[in-house]
Structure formats: structure tokens, C-alpha cells
Amino acid sequence: MSQVLRKSVVLSFALLASAALAQTKQVIGVSIPSADHGWTAGIVYWANQTKAELEKMYPGLSVIVKTAKDSNEQANQIQDLYTVNKINALVILPQESAPLTKPVADLKKQGVFTLVVDRALTDPTAQSAYVAGDNPGLGRVSGEYVGKTLGGKGNVVVLRGIATVIDNQRVDAFENVIKTKYPNVKILDKQYANWNRDDGFRVMQDYLTRFPKIDAVWAQDDDIAVGVLKAIQQAGRTDIKFVLGGAGMKDMVKKVMDGDKLITADVTYPPTMIRDAMRLLAKARMTNTAMAKSTIIPSVLVTKANAAEYYFPKSPF
Amino acid sequence: MAPAPRPPLLSRLGALGPLLGLLALMAVATALNPDFLTVSNLSNVLTRASFIGIIAVGATFVIVSGGIDLSVGSMAALMAGSMILIMNAAAPSLGITGSILLGMLSALLIGVGAGLLHGTAITRGRIEPFIVTLGTLGIFRSVLTYLSQGGSISLDNALSDRYSPVYYGKLLGIPIPILVFAAVALLGGLILNRTRYGRYVQAVGSNEQVARYAAVDVTRVKITTYVIQGLCVGIATLLYVPRLGSASPSTGLLWELEAIAAVIIGGTALKGGSGRIWGTVVGAVLLLSIENVLNLTSIISVYLNAAVQGVVIIIVAFLQRGRRT
């Protein structure tokens, strides 16, 4: 048999088989960044958990989870999900917004329902629906907590993430709350700690050298807070009343639960948002109902009172 | 073995480029913020510089011999992760101290193993060092990411408490990482400049064919440089783990570039042949000081931090070039 003939026979069998499947089954593709730091590890974990849960709940549903290390790989994957796996719906947490807008728009044009999570595309018409965490909300809730806990007066240092839109939204909202509601709280400085522990340690050490009196630290992210805590411990400083991180890392939530002296609260930006998105989509597809065009998952203040609800010991994050 | 060490600093008055750069930077830093010169700040900077510095001492050997190792950051991350897993697993049966020793030993063994692997692939497999270590850069980091499921691997609290003095402790008022850094640098300097092996390393880097004709076992010399590099990464990791007690996929990111930068700023030629350990030490301290100075002041927009670092690196390399010719 010639190569071309063999290929086309195989191809047509594959097409027939998948066409038959498609009539009886709903196939949802889930495309997410690969686990490269704590939060994305949480995303991968929850996506796989939810896949199992949903496939059990809806017998006619199949969920395919794909992880990608960069935008380019992710664009290739969603193309494959469409041509090979014949997905009817796509849940995507884009690595980056701009480069993935066109590929997602193409899929939507071909009739795939596209649900975008967390990072909005640059052209909103490419997304059929949108589920996201609340970045300005994270900054706002954090600002409220810092201002209120300090009694409206004190010195605060800020450790930012990586220079991105998300980071700007959080920090702007934080500063806005402090400026308008707590004018006597002074932000001494803000530096990038790149959402990781080593940089958190380094930047905090330098803050401790530079400022003799710091009342509170807003670390913006729990990974940064881990480094901050070690730097404070090493310097033996007792002026700092509390360190506020964010995202809801299990170790930090545990500290809140156990009544840690420095970690008195945390603000969520939960990787469980991928679970919420997948659940909403599966329900809409399987019961043939419409899903909300836009769903924002609020950032919640975790304190000792409610910490148990946000503690997931099995998650890697 | 080696004859009595002379102070390498004074014997090389001709090439003080990096040192001048460091002094200039320190003067500027002190003018911007007097806190720069406090003992606690200087000890913070030196302690931080010790990780990159120790790795860079190993990198000096590799680069002088005409090779390169791009994998050191990933290697450190993998070592840190494996070490923590091993210690956590061994703690119930071996006890705290026993498992810490086992963990430390395993990090060093991973370093030696990785060095042998690199050296063998490069010499006997005749693959470019750039390619071999670019490959392992990806392998080491993704194995760590796999082990940690993308999250972080953390040391048990009891182990962490017992182990943390290795980073936070002091001997005669000097933080231990600085002492280890000094010891590694001194030993590295002695080996590179005062032993036959050191001369072979330089000979191989300056002209491999000639070295071969002079009956130098080029293969063994090269493999050994990668093993030294692996050991140095191991030592740096032993000091790194007690700092935060955890390893994650972002551990050691871009350390290879910082280590190579330290070596080059210090006056070692990237094409191999000659190099100075003390220059590497100054290079590492200089690199870490720039970061510290930028954190201690807020004159320049934080967006431009990396740009300032780049400018200082290029200026120092330029000073260096002026002195050498």
C-alpha cells in the first residue's frame, strides 16, 4: 500500500471514530501552564482533581488536561485539541494574553466554546466566557487589612511580584486604599521580589538594614512571605507586627490556623479557580444551559476564624 | 604539594580592574546610603555572595580549561530538592544529625556524579560543553519540578532547626557561609596557581593540542574541572538549604549566568587559558553589591534595576580590558 493511501485510510478511520464519539460525548479540553511555581502547581493539581470528579459525575463527558511550558507550546496544544481530540469546549488559562488571543479566536470561530480563566485575552470577543480571580480585589482587601490592623498609623514596606499587569493592578489597588482611607499609614518603599522566596529574603534583608522601624510588611504573595519571615527572624527584629502574604498557600493558611504571631491573616487568590471554571462549564454543557459571560472569584480575607475552610493539605500549593 | 601561599592580591598588582570597580561602587553606595558600610549590611551582602561565589570558583576552573557549565543553577536546585527529600525520609531511622549528614553527603555525591557525567560526555563523547550542559540544565530542573510537583519541597521543622546554624550561625563573629566561601576560594586559588594540576588546567585551556603533545592527560584534566564544579555547587547547596529550608522550581534560577558573569568580571578569559580566583571572588561580591545598593536606595526606578546591573558589569569588564592590554 502506498504511503499516501495508508495515511488516508488511517485518517478516515480516525475521523469516523471520532465523529461517532463526538455525537454521544462532550469533550472538554483544558489547557493550562505547566507547574513551574507554587501557584501553577496548584492549578495543575486542581485541574486533574476536577477532571476525575467531573468525569465521574457526568458519564457522557470526557476532559483532557494539557500543560504547556510557554505560549508557543500552548498554541500548538489547543490546535491539537481541536483537530485530534475534537473538543467541543476549551478551558484555557493562557500563559500570556496577547500571543494566545488569535489561536483561541480561531477555535471559537470553528464552533468551540472558549472559556478563558484568570488572564483575559486582548480581544474579549475571542472568549465565550471568562472566569477570573480578583487582582484589584486582592490589593484592596490587603490594603484594608493592613490599614485597619495598624489602627490607621504606621510604616509599611511592600514586596511586589514580577513587573506585570497583574502586579500593577494589585499594588495600585493597595496603594489607593491606603492613600484614601488610611492617610497616616506610610508606604516606605516597594521593590520587586519576583514571586519567589530567595528574592523575598534578599529584598527584606535590605529593607531591614535601611528602615529602623517597620510596622507591617505586605508581601503580596505567600512565596515571597516565606523569605520575608526568615529575614526578619535572622535580623532578630521585633518592631514588625505582622506580615501579610497572598494567594492562600497551604503552609501560610496553616500558620494562620495555628495562630502564628507574624502571619495573622492571608488573602486568597486561589488556584481552585480552575476547578470553579471547569465545574461551571461542565454543568452548562451537560445540562444545556447558558453560563455567565463573566465570573469573578472574590479575594477573601483568611483569618483564624475561617482558615480551616481554605486549608487543602493534599495540594502541592 | 603546594608551596607556602603568597598573598595572591599583592602579587598581581597589574590587574586590579575588578577591585577598582568594587571600590568605586562601594564609594557611591556609601554616599547614597551610609547604612551600606554597616557591619550587618556588609555581612548580609557577603553571605549572599557566598553562594554565587563558591559556584563561580568552580566555574573558574571549567572556564580556564576552555569549557563552560550552564547547568549549575538547575544542578543546585536538584541537589537542594533531593537533599531535603533524603533528609526527610531518613530522619525517622537515622535521627536528626545522622540524616543531615547523609543529606549533605548526597548533595556532594550528586555534584561529583553530575561532574563526571558532564566531563565524560564532553571528552569521550566529544560533544560541545555548551550543548551537554544546556541539555542537563533542562534535565536537572525538570526532574526537580517533577519531584516537587511544581510546588515546593520543604525540610521538616526539627531538621530545619538543627541545620539552620550552618547558614545563620557565626564563628568568631563571622557568618559561616562567608568562612566557607573564603576557604573554598583559598583552596581553589592554591590549586589553580600553585599545583601541577592547576598548570595543566591552564595549559589545556590555552592550547589543547600543545598540552596533548606535552603529555598532559587532557581528558582527565577536563573531567576533573567539571567534578570540581559539581563539588562547588554541592558546597553552595549545603549552605543554601538551611537558609529557607525549601527548594522549588525557582531555586537557583539564572545562577549559571551570575556565576559566569562573576568569573568574567574577575578577569578570566571566556576563551580559556588563564584566570584568577581572587578576581572571581571580587566579581561575585561586586555583582551582589549592585543589587544591594539598588535595594538600599530608591533613586532609580525599580524597572531599571537590571539595566543598572548591566551597565556596571560592562563598565567593570571595560576597566578590566584596559588593564590587561
Side-chain angles (χ1 to χ4, degrees):
Chain A
M1 217 188 313
S2 85
Q3 274 253 286
V4 178
L5 192 59
R6 196 167 59 208
K7 267 192 190 154
S8 51
V9 167
V10 170
L11 194 68
S12 46
F13 265 113
L15 282 175
L16 271 176
S18 51
L21 274 176
Q23 281 165 2
T24 54
K25 285 193 99 174
Q26 278 285 333
V27 186
I28 296 180
V30 179
S31 170
I32 48 181
S34 51
D36 50 12
H37 66 277
W39 193 79
T40 43
I43 289 285
V44 174
Y45 171 82
W46 285 111
N48 285 316
Q49 292 288 103
T50 315
K51 166 189 156 75
E53 174 203 329
L54 291 176
E55 284 180 342
K56 209 168 135 198
M57 195 151 81
Y58 303 109
L61 178 73
S62 122
V63 178
I64 300 157
V65 177
K66 294 266 182 210
T67 62
K69 68 174 190 306
D70 56 36
S71 306
N72 187 36
E73 189 181 357
Q74 199 169 18
N76 292 342
Q77 274 176 0
I78 63 173
Q79 219 164 35
D80 292 347
L81 281 170
Y82 178 69
T83 49
V84 181
N85 304 100
K86 300 279 179 291
I87 53 169
N88 322 94
L90 172 76
V91 179
I92 179 167
L93 200 168
Q95 277 276 7
E96 290 169 280
S97 302
L100 283 155
T101 298
K102 181 81 176 49
V104 174
D106 285 349
L107 236 60
K108 189 178 174 225
K109 232 177 268 162
Q110 280 157 319
V112 174
F113 186 93
T114 55
L115 169 58
V116 176
V117 183
D118 189 38
R119 302 167 193 171
L121 298 177
T122 42
D123 174 10
T125 61
Q127 52 206 31
S128 312
Y130 178 56
V131 170
D134 188 359
N135 283 303
L138 183 138
R140 204 169 46 241
V141 172
S142 304
E144 292 284 352
Y145 181 80
V146 169
K148 210 168 136 196
T149 316
L150 287 177
K153 194 172 176 331
N155 294 335
V156 180
V157 291
V158 174
L159 291 95
R160 316 184 59 157
I162 293 172
T164 57
V165 179
I166 297 173
D167 180 69
N168 289 341
Q169 287 176 342
R170 293 177 179 181
V171 175
D172 290 348
F174 179 87
E175 283 189 305
N176 197 28
V177 170
I178 298 288
K179 237 178 244 157
T180 52
K181 286 188 72 176
Y182 304 100
N184 292 327
V185 171
K186 195 172 166 223
I187 298 177
L188 295 172
D189 196 19
K190 22 176 204 176
Q191 296 271 358
Y192 288 102
N194 305 320
W195 287 320
N196 79 53
R197 297 165 184 217
D198 290 328
D199 292 342
F201 182 82
R202 181 173 55 75
V203 172
M204 192 62 206
Q205 266 195 338
D206 294 340
Y207 278 159
L208 291 169
T209 304
R210 192 170 148 203
F211 303 114
K213 176 122 176 59
I214 300 171
D215 294 297
V217 181
W218 183 45
Q220 205 245 60
D221 173 85
D222 288 334
D223 262 312
I224 301 176
V226 173
V228 167
L229 287 177
K230 282 284 182 183
I232 295 174
Q233 201 182 13
Q234 183 204 18
R237 287 273 289 261
T238 50
D239 49 330
I240 294 137
K241 298 188 183 82
F242 64 93
V243 176
L244 182 66
M249 180 197 279
K250 63 178 177 186
D251 303 337
M252 286 295 157
V253 176
K254 186 85 180 20
K255 279 184 193 285
V256 175
M257 246 163 96
D258 296 346
D260 189 274
K261 267 179 72 185
L262 277 177
I263 301 290
T264 49
D266 198 26
V267 181
T268 61
Y269 189 81
T272 48
M273 71 179 64
I274 194 80
R275 177 186 62 179
D276 298 335
M278 288 166 70
R279 279 180 177 170
L280 288 170
L281 179 69
K283 186 163 174 236
R285 302 300 295 184
M286 299 311 285
T287 58
N288 231 339
T289 47
M291 82 172 273
K293 189 94 180 112
S294 170
T295 311
I296 299 294
I297 298 172
S299 279
V300 184
L301 184 71
V302 178
T303 57
K304 209 175 170 191
N306 63 354
E309 290 168 49
Y310 297 95
Y311 182 57
F312 306 107
K314 275 196 201 138
S315 161
F317 181 63
Chain B
M1 224 181 63
R6 273 185 295 149
L9 231 168
L10 294 175
S11 62
R12 312 255 167 164
L13 269 172
L16 290 178
L19 205 57
L20 293 177
L22 182 60
L23 289 174
L25 184 75
M26 289 176 78
V28 173
T30 317
L32 289 173
N33 189 329
D35 283 334
F36 179 80
L37 275 188
T38 57
V39 173
S40 66
N41 188 56
L42 288 180
S43 99
N44 280 349
V45 174
L46 284 175
T47 314
R48 283 182 221 161
S50 58
F51 302 124
I52 295 300
I54 291 170
I55 293 175
V57 168
T60 312
F61 280 87
V62 171
I63 292 174
V64 167
S65 80
I68 193 105
D69 190 340
L70 299 176
S71 75
V72 292
S74 309
M75 198 197 290
L78 177 60
M79 278 174 182
S82 327
M83 209 177 142
I84 293 172
L85 288 175
I86 290 171
M87 287 192 281
N88 285 348
S93 51
L94 281 180
I96 305 283
T97 314
S99 43
I100 288 175
L101 289 176
L102 179 71
M104 294 172 103
L105 185 69
S106 61
L108 296 176
L109 285 178
I110 293 175
V112 171
L116 283 175
L117 179 83
H118 286 153
T120 311
I122 289 160
T123 52
R124 303 207 194 280
R126 269 180 279 161
I127 314 171
E128 285 292 320
F130 192 95
I131 302 300
V132 172
T133 56
L134 188 65
T136 52
L137 174 147
I139 297 169
F140 294 155
R141 190 165 296 283
S142 57
V143 172
L144 170 78
T145 309
Y146 168 77
L147 290 176
S148 68
Q149 292 180 274
S152 54
I153 306 178
S154 295
L155 196 57
D156 280 347
N157 279 332
L159 286 163
S160 185
D161 289 345
R162 182 71 65 86
Y163 193 5
S164 70
V166 172
Y167 179 84
Y168 293 106
K170 287 179 180 177
L171 204 68
L172 306 169
I174 304 170
I176 290 176
I178 299 180
L179 293 172
V180 176
F181 180 22
V184 169
L186 204 65
L187 195 67
L190 284 177
I191 295 176
L192 189 62
N193 296 317
R194 300 272 178 274
T195 63
R196 188 192 300 162
Y197 173 73
R199 283 197 298 281
Y200 286 171
V201 172
Q202 305 192 24
V204 168
S206 103
N207 193 327
E208 202 177 314
Q209 277 314 323
V210 172
R212 228 180 269 280
Y213 292 140
V216 173
D217 187 346
V218 173
T219 302
R220 220 178 63 191
V221 168
K222 279 189 168 178
I223 293 179
T224 317
T225 62
Y226 289 96
V227 172
I228 291 174
Q229 171 75 88
L231 266 176
C232 286
V233 178
I235 295 168
T237 308
L238 298 186
L239 299 172
Y240 172 83
V241 167
R243 179 164 85 175
L244 297 176
S246 72
S248 73
S250 68
T251 299
L253 221 49
L254 297 183
W255 281 8
E256 56 282 345
L257 291 188
E258 290 190 35
I260 293 168
V263 174
I264 303 304
I265 292 172
T268 298
L270 191 51
K271 61 179 178 3
S274 69
R276 301 189 290 263
I277 298 284
W278 73 262
T280 299
V281 171
V282 173
V285 175
L286 184 86
L287 271 182
L288 272 292
S289 307
I290 305 172
E291 249 174 25
N292 176 250
V293 174
L294 291 170
N295 284 344
L296 288 182
T297 53
S298 42
I299 300 171
I300 297 160
S301 162
V302 277
Y303 291 116
L304 289 173
N305 274 7
V308 176
Q309 287 174 4
V311 169
V312 176
I313 291 170
I314 293 173
I315 290 175
V316 172
F318 184 76
L319 283 175
Q320 185 61 33
R321 178 187 148 273
R323 298 274 153 178
R324 201 156 43 207
T325 48

